[in-house]
Amino acid sequence: MNNLTRNMQRGMTLIELLVVVVIIGIIASIALPGYQESVAKARRSDAHANILELAQWMERYYTENGRYDQDRTGTAMVVPTGLATSPKGVAAADAFYNISVGTLAQQTFTITAAPANGHAGDKCANLTLTQAGVKGTSASGVDVATCW
């Protein structure tokens, strides 16, 4: 084998390198949306857990006070700070969901988890849960079971 043949067998050509880059680009364009949806589902799952924890807290509050909207002395109910965001206990500026008790009355409540910050474009929009255990979403055209 002469020197010219040996030198041609080393390395890759520009065309080969471009083919590899194109293949990686195609794989990334297929994988990225799936990854993003997995992250969104994980964040929603965390919000579900926090909504349910707040609902349990509300039920304990009701058991102690006989109503959801105020305590026995007439002081309005306030959502504990640690339960107002998802992930639980983070600052609102860092939260993926802000959790609040939207509709609050003596015998009823509706907990709402509103997407925030980098998660604001979630396809499920606001997640809701009532005192009767009815789950919902404010997104139109999206099945509640998909979001919950």
Side-chain angles (χ1 to χ4, degrees):
M1 225 191 217
N2 65 25
N3 253 351
L4 185 58
T5 307
R6 263 187 292 193
N7 286 339
M8 294 203 49
Q9 291 177 351
R10 292 187 211 171
M12 295 190 303
T13 66
L14 182 58
I15 297 296
E16 290 170 330
L17 184 60
L18 288 175
V19 167
V20 169
V21 169
V22 167
I23 290 171
I24 290 172
I26 291 170
I27 291 171
S29 69
I30 293 169
L32 189 60
Y35 170 75
Q36 290 172 329
E37 181 57 26
S38 291
V39 169
K41 284 172 75 174
R43 291 175 180 169
R44 276 195 302 272
S45 179
D46 193 36
H48 298 158
N50 294 340
I51 290 169
L52 292 172
E53 185 174 354
L54 179 55
Q56 289 172 347
W57 184 88
M58 292 291 295
E59 292 302 329
R60 284 191 305 274
Y61 188 90
Y62 183 86
T63 300
E64 293 171 3
N65 300 294
R67 58 191 302 160
Y68 293 114
D69 59 346
Q70 62 188 22
D71 64 16
R72 292 178 187 205
T73 65
T75 304
M77 187 282 301
V78 177
V79 175
T81 305
L83 298 177
T85 59
S86 179
K88 187 170 66 172
V90 302
D94 298 326
F96 297 120
Y97 282 91
N98 290 318
I99 301 173
S100 62
V101 180
T103 306
L104 182 62
Q106 183 175 351
Q107 302 296 316
T108 61
F109 68 81
T110 301
I111 298 172
T112 302
N117 303 318
H119 196 60
D122 186 44
K123 70 178 182 181
C124 291
N126 293 347
L127 302 171
T128 59
L129 179 70
T130 69
Q131 83 288 342
V134 177
K135 298 172 183 174
T137 177
S138 64
S140 59
V142 177
D143 184 30
V144 173
T146 303
C147 295
W148 275 89

